[in-house]
Amino acid sequence: SATMPRNTGRRGTAKAKGSLGSKFMNQLSNLMNTLNATDPHFIRCIKPNDLKEGDIFSAPMILDQLRYAGLLEVCRIRQ
């Protein structure tokens, strides 16, 4: 009868493949370097009303959109 190889509980060595944590840290570092090297500009479109008509502004609707987009928090941070 064939014998099964003994399971040591290891999938490989950390040196050969790199640990999951070290891979994550390297990817995060690369992402942060890319983000820090850019000068992003964002355009946010806010719908003023449900009727899609000019000169009509629904303050609760606009406020909800600003909150959802995170713009109110950005304004607080920038002050």
Side-chain angles (χ1 to χ4, degrees):
S1 81
T3 59
M4 297 291 290
R6 204 169 117 198
N7 185 359
T8 61
R10 294 186 177 185
R11 294 183 181 171
T13 63
K15 288 182 181 179
K17 294 181 181 179
S19 70
L20 184 60
S22 66
K23 287 181 183 181
F24 174 76
M25 289 301 293
N26 287 335
Q27 290 175 349
L28 182 60
S29 177
N30 290 338
L31 175 62
M32 290 305 298
N33 289 337
T34 300
L35 291 175
N36 289 329
T38 61
D39 190 19
H41 298 279
F42 298 95
I43 297 173
R44 304 269 194 228
C45 295
I46 304 296
K47 294 180 177 67
N49 60 63
D50 285 327
L51 303 173
K52 299 181 183 177
E53 294 181 8
D55 296 326
I56 300 174
F57 297 95
S58 170
M61 181 177 173
I62 293 171
L63 187 59
D64 285 343
Q65 291 177 75
L66 292 173
R67 281 190 182 127
Y68 183 77
L71 293 176
L72 293 178
E73 188 63 28
V74 168
C75 292
R76 284 188 200 111
I77 291 169
R78 302 249 341 174
Q79 287 180 352

